[in-house]
Amino acid sequence: MSKRAQFTAELEVHQLKGDDVYKDVIRIKNESRGDLAEGRVHKFCTKHGCGYFVLRGNEACDGVGQILMDGITRDKLHICRDTKYRFQITEATFWGELRWAWSAVDPAYRVSAKLGVLSFLLGILALMPMAWDFLKLIAPIEQFISSSLQGP
C-alpha cells in the first residue's frame, strides 16, 4: 500500500467566491500545498477540528500562504475568517472519500453516495438466496466425499 500524500502548513483563511461555494471545495495556491494532488478529496485538520474536502488550485489569488473556503467549511472546521491556522492535510482513503460524499453539502454528491451504498447492499441481499442454494448443493457432495474416504 502506498503512503498517502501529507502536507502541513500555516495558512491564512479567506472567503471562497464564485461557483465553489456550497461544494465542499477548498482552494490553495499550488506553491502553498506541496505535492498534494488537485481535484482529490483530502482530510483537513486543525487543532479545532477535521473534515473532508476537495482540494483545488487557486491561481487567480496573488497571495501565497492563503486558503480559501466558504462559511460552511469554516463551521465544520470550527475556524474563523482572516486568521492563520496550522493545517495538516492528508489525502483521503477510500472510506474518507465515501464519508465526504455521504455528508457533502452539495446534494448531487450526497445522493449519489447514498444510492451507491444502497445499490451495493441490495446486490448483496440479492445474492443471498443463490448462496444458500449453492451451500445446499455442496452439502451432499461433502457427505459423499467424506463417506467415500472413510471406506466401507
Side-chain angles (χ1 to χ4, degrees):
M1 188 166 134
S2 65
K3 187 174 182 331
R4 301 225 171 259
Q6 264 189 343
F7 187 71
T8 302
E10 190 166 311
L11 302 167
E12 186 175 355
V13 177
H14 290 276
Q15 176 62 35
L16 185 64
K17 294 181 173 89
D19 294 337
D20 292 333
V21 177
Y22 302 114
K23 298 276 187 194
D24 292 316
V25 169
I26 289 181
R27 290 198 173 269
I28 303 174
K29 196 168 182 75
N30 290 348
E31 293 82 14
S32 299
R33 68 169 189 247
D35 60 349
L36 297 175
E38 182 176 343
R40 300 187 128 251
V41 178
H42 289 78
K43 184 177 184 179
F44 288 77
C45 290
T46 68
K47 65 180 181 179
H48 305 287
C50 291
Y52 291 93
F53 306 98
V54 177
L55 177 64
R56 297 275 186 210
N58 186 26
E59 299 315 307
C61 178
D62 293 333
V64 175
Q66 294 182 353
I67 183 168
L68 281 74
M69 58 183 74
D70 62 9
I72 292 174
T73 302
R74 288 193 306 272
D75 290 345
K76 284 182 181 179
L77 294 174
H78 307 289
I79 59 176
C80 300
R81 220 172 124 165
D82 301 322
T83 308
K84 281 191 174 187
Y85 296 94
R86 179 168 284 300
F87 288 89
Q88 182 176 0
I89 308 166
T90 309
E91 189 175 340
T93 62
F94 170 78
W95 297 112
E97 289 182 7
L98 185 60
R99 186 173 168 190
W100 162 77
W102 190 269
S103 62
V105 174
D106 188 350
Y109 299 130
R110 193 173 57 245
V111 169
S112 296
K114 291 180 179 181
L115 285 174
V117 169
L118 178 65
S119 297
F120 177 76
L121 293 175
L122 288 174
I124 297 292
L125 189 63
L127 288 174
M128 290 178 117
M130 191 168 41
W132 180 253
D133 288 342
F134 182 72
L135 290 174
K136 287 192 311 187
L137 177 69
I138 289 178
I141 294 171
E142 284 182 0
Q143 290 171 357
F144 173 75
I145 292 172
S146 65
S147 67
S148 65
L149 291 175
Q150 291 174 357

